[in-house]
Amino acid sequence: MIKKIATGFLAAVMIAGTVTTSVSAAQASGTGTSGSTSEINYSEMTFDEIYATKIDEDYEPVINYLTKQYLYPEEKLTDMIMVYEKYGYQLWYEYYTGEVALKNTATGQILFSNPYDINGSESKASAQVKQELLSQISLTYLKNGASTTMYSYVEAAKKSQQIVKKMSMDQREKIITCIRKKIKDNAEVLARMGVEETGMGNVGDKILKHILVADKTPGTEDITTTAWTGDRGLTLVEMGPFGVIGAITPCTNPSETVLCNTMGMLAGGNTVVFNPHPAAVKTSIYAINLLNEASLENGGPDNIAVTVEKPTLETSNIMMKHKDIHLIVATGGPGVVTAVLSSGKRGIGAGAGNPPALVDETADIRKAAEDIVNGCTFDNNLPCIAEKEIVAVDSIADELMHYMINEQGCYLASKEEQDALTNVVLAGGKLNRKCVGRDAKTLLGMIGVTVPDNIRCITFEGPKEHPLIATELMMPILGVVRAKDFDDAVEQAVWLEHGNRHSAHIHSKNVDRITKYAKAIDTAILVKNGPSYAALGFGGEGFCTFTIASRTGEGLTSASSFTKRRRCVMTDSLCIR
């Protein structure tokens, strides 16, 4: 049963100045010549009184908006309320669904945020399509001389969360199970979309990443209860939802992050508003559509996850400041995480890393070479946990590079080639985004070097200060730093990690050394004697996540990370021992 939602959006619009709209082409198909008004006089009514005309005693809509068909646009306006008029435009609003319409009084043209229920305007669209409502529309208006933008997708997610929070854990898990199936069914489509849209990574590895998300992302089993009983009664600590969560996602793992985050957030009773990276918006929207399909197909609401059509820094700022968003989850570079932590709200920040892989003389050197190169080249080094450089003890450094070059498809770059790569990859001293997530053959081609298809990584030896070693590149370039002994290797590795406390790796059979390294580097992830992706449950134990909150301390996030703890106390009762 849907409860009444506050309409702060309407209040903001009613005090606004000039009104303009930004809608997609599909949303602009409803047209007409003249408008009509409802028989009810709303001018003297309060918000609550107006809303009461839209629902019955069970808080259900008087009109079934999912099935009703209108013959022409003007008929649809009779079910809406004109809330504002200025400069030849009328703004109409439907209180129950939150839908809006803009009418040009000079031409009679009417633009609806949901035009699919008007005859001749895709009237055969499914209920799922009709339910999209406000997820793609924005209103820009002038208030006190300053331009302000309010995105109604937050309200759509807020309404859905009122339903989600009342759903049983079994109901939420049913939706999550369907999401897992849809991810597997669409793994190749999502992988190809991600590569084609961003130019980063490779299809084969992205398919594996989506399968990993489907199989190993925690659901409702991660939402647990802690209880204490004794002579004075019973105390419970429950995990409750934050409500609507705002999430910022990267272009490196776009659909993987959207899907993984939403599964955990939904398990905790939340809905989510995404501000995806502009370079991966199509892939992100496709993933969001899959999520909402899964919910609708299993009795849940639409808009468990929503996004804007054209995400920008401005939309990100608006989302972080929105009064109805109480938790911000950011997966991206240091800049976006810093912005989240400065928002004044609870933030979970998954920032940058520059994970070193330390190899000492006790390691299985051949296996270390294989594991490190496999981890480094997985999806062309896009995962933030991937090996970015090697620190090798001097006595085994040559042997390690031998296996890398002769058995693992690494290309040994000369000094001239290193300089040329630096000029291309770090053009002007900044990371060249056109190089991120590209394979080794493509990167070498950028400097005029032709190599066979079996070359999958570029390597060289250099000091830790070398720009291709000290900088997180997110591409299969793997510099090797030589250390005189283990203690020196630890010191250099800690320096290279730059205090991100994100991820690190070690290949050693000496438990005391592994322990020393772990304490010194103090990262959220430490992989011992394996490829980096084992940390995500791929070839290793544990659950999967693509939001690793090193800066804010949550570490590998899961459903429980997106909940708040609530203590419930019963005194002097319910202890039966």
Side-chain angles (χ1 to χ4, degrees):
M1 184 172 64
I2 304 174
K3 297 294 185 182
K4 188 179 74 171
I5 306 299
T7 52
F9 158 77
L10 180 58
V13 171
M14 291 180 72
I15 62 172
T18 305
V19 179
T20 62
T21 64
S22 171
V23 296
S24 66
Q27 292 167 319
S29 55
T31 59
T33 57
S34 63
S36 59
T37 59
S38 173
E39 295 179 359
I40 301 175
N41 182 7
Y42 293 102
S43 61
E44 302 297 326
M45 298 173 67
T46 66
F47 287 174
D48 287 351
E49 290 170 340
I50 294 172
Y51 190 91
T53 68
K54 298 291 184 179
I55 56 175
D56 60 24
E57 61 270 20
D58 294 322
Y59 292 97
E60 296 298 330
V62 175
I63 300 171
N64 189 335
Y65 292 94
L66 294 182
T67 60
K68 182 165 183 178
Q69 291 289 307
Y70 299 95
L71 294 177
Y72 44 86
E74 293 82 357
E75 183 186 14
K76 184 170 180 175
L77 284 186
T78 64
D79 283 334
M80 304 178 78
I81 304 160
M82 192 184 76
V83 295
Y84 195 76
E85 184 173 9
K86 196 165 187 178
Y87 301 132
Y89 286 93
Q90 294 175 347
L91 180 66
W92 293 72
Y93 184 73
E94 204 303 297
Y95 271 68
Y96 187 83
T97 64
E99 186 178 359
V100 295
L102 185 73
K103 180 181 177 182
N104 185 322
T105 56
T107 65
Q109 184 182 35
I110 306 171
L111 300 182
F112 292 96
S113 59
N114 171 34
Y116 298 104
D117 51 10
I118 300 173
N119 189 33
S121 178
E122 301 187 46
S123 61
K124 296 184 185 221
S126 68
Q128 294 173 212
V129 173
K130 293 178 186 177
Q131 264 298 75
E132 286 184 12
L133 296 175
L134 302 178
S135 60
Q136 297 297 327
I137 191 169
S138 65
L139 298 176
T140 303
Y141 58 87
L142 292 174
K143 180 179 178 182
N144 298 328
S147 178
T148 307
T149 305
M150 177 175 292
Y151 289 87
S152 51
Y153 57 80
V154 178
E155 187 70 16
K158 182 180 176 182
K159 290 182 177 180
S160 295
Q161 200 272 329
Q162 299 299 306
I163 302 172
V164 168
K165 73 177 184 179
K166 298 173 185 175
M167 295 173 67
S168 69
M169 301 302 277
D170 285 345
Q171 288 175 306
R172 296 179 198 171
E173 189 60 36
K174 187 177 179 182
I175 296 172
I176 292 169
T177 298
C178 185
I179 292 172
R180 297 186 197 278
K181 183 179 185 303
K182 286 186 177 291
I183 293 172
K184 289 184 177 181
D185 291 345
N186 290 271
E188 184 173 351
V189 173
L190 288 162
R192 291 191 182 281
M193 285 185 71
V195 173
E196 289 171 7
E197 185 175 14
T198 68
M200 301 177 186
N202 65 76
V203 172
D205 288 343
K206 285 191 182 297
I207 291 174
L208 293 175
K209 286 160 70 176
H210 284 90
I211 300 299
L212 184 67
V213 169
D215 286 340
K216 287 203 168 186
T217 300
T220 55
E221 72 277 9
D222 200 47
I223 307 301
T224 59
T225 300
T226 302
W228 293 273
T229 64
D231 295 340
R232 298 311 305 271
L234 170 69
T235 294
L236 302 177
V237 175
E238 301 273 26
M239 298 180 180
F242 273 93
V244 180
I245 297 175
I248 301 170
T249 54
C251 58
T252 49
N253 303 294
S255 49
E256 300 96 319
T257 307
V258 164
L259 294 163
C260 187
N261 276 359
T262 303
M263 290 167 71
M265 292 169 182
L266 176 65
N270 307 282
T271 55
V272 54
V273 176
F274 284 105
N275 199 89
H277 195 286
V281 65
K282 292 180 181 178
T283 307
S284 301
I285 288 175
Y286 188 93
I288 289 168
N289 286 339
L290 290 179
L291 293 162
N292 287 317
E293 285 176 12
S295 179
L296 287 165
E297 290 170 10
N298 290 275
D302 196 5
N303 297 321
I304 60 170
V306 297
T307 183
V308 286
E309 191 174 16
K310 295 181 180 180
T312 63
L313 286 175
E314 178 63 19
T315 62
S316 175
N317 290 333
I318 292 167
M319 181 187 72
M320 287 190 285
K321 296 175 183 176
H322 199 285
K323 64 182 179 60
D324 291 327
I325 291 178
H326 305 292
L327 172 65
I328 310 293
V329 179
T331 310
V336 68
V337 175
T338 297
V340 167
L341 297 181
S342 304
S343 68
K345 297 186 178 183
R346 167 74 188 279
I348 295 177
N354 191 43
L358 189 155
V359 186
D360 76 4
E361 68 276 13
T362 71
D364 181 333
I365 307 303
R366 172 174 274 168
K367 181 179 183 298
E370 179 181 6
D371 288 344
I372 292 170
V373 176
N374 283 345
C376 170
T377 58
F378 186 72
D379 205 22
N380 295 344
N381 201 244
L382 286 178
C384 51
I385 64 168
E387 296 87 344
K388 301 295 190 276
E389 66 278 332
I390 298 172
V391 180
V393 172
D394 179 67
S395 60
I396 52 88
D398 292 336
E399 181 184 1
L400 179 69
M401 294 189 71
H402 167 79
Y403 288 127
M404 290 171 60
I405 295 165
N406 293 287
E407 295 185 2
Q408 298 303 324
C410 288
Y411 177 84
L412 181 62
S414 66
K415 177 63 170 62
E416 293 74 17
E417 291 166 340
Q418 294 172 42
D419 292 342
L421 279 170
T422 301
N423 291 334
V424 171
V425 169
L426 297 171
K430 295 182 179 180
L431 186 63
N432 184 350
R433 294 295 173 182
K434 294 181 180 180
C435 298
V436 172
R438 269 55 173 188
D439 59 55
K441 185 176 181 179
T442 299
L443 292 171
L444 288 168
M446 291 179 179
I447 62 170
V449 177
T450 303
V451 295
D453 290 341
N454 69 320
I455 294 299
R456 56 185 184 136
C457 186
I458 303 167
T459 192
F460 63 93
E461 184 180 334
K464 69 180 188 298
E465 296 84 6
H466 193 292
L468 295 181
I469 295 175
T471 307
E472 183 188 28
L473 300 177
M474 291 181 290
M475 59 193 78
I477 297 177
L478 198 56
V480 178
V481 178
R482 193 179 292 258
K484 60 184 179 181
D485 54 29
F486 179 76
D487 288 340
D488 182 43
V490 171
E491 183 177 338
Q492 297 202 61
V494 169
W495 185 90
L496 284 164
E497 208 275 327
H498 302 312
N500 292 311
R501 306 260 193 300
H502 195 291
S503 300
H505 315 288
I506 184 171
H507 294 263
S508 173
K509 293 182 180 179
N510 187 313
V511 174
D512 291 338
R513 285 184 171 185
I514 293 173
T515 303
K516 183 176 183 178
Y517 181 61
K519 289 182 177 181
I521 206 150
D522 191 25
T523 50
I525 287 176
L526 180 67
V527 177
K528 284 82 72 177
N529 299 322
S532 55
Y533 47 70
L536 301 182
F538 187 62
E541 296 299 325
F543 64 86
C544 169
T545 185
F546 282 87
T547 299
I548 300 165
S550 51
R551 280 188 67 179
T552 51
E554 291 82 4
L556 282 73
T557 58
S558 61
S560 61
S561 307
F562 310 126
T563 61
K564 55 187 179 183
R565 303 305 185 267
R566 303 170 67 186
R567 176 175 285 204
C568 181
V569 179
M570 170 72 79
T571 62
D572 300 322
S573 298
L574 289 180
C575 178
I576 58 174
R577 59 188 180 187

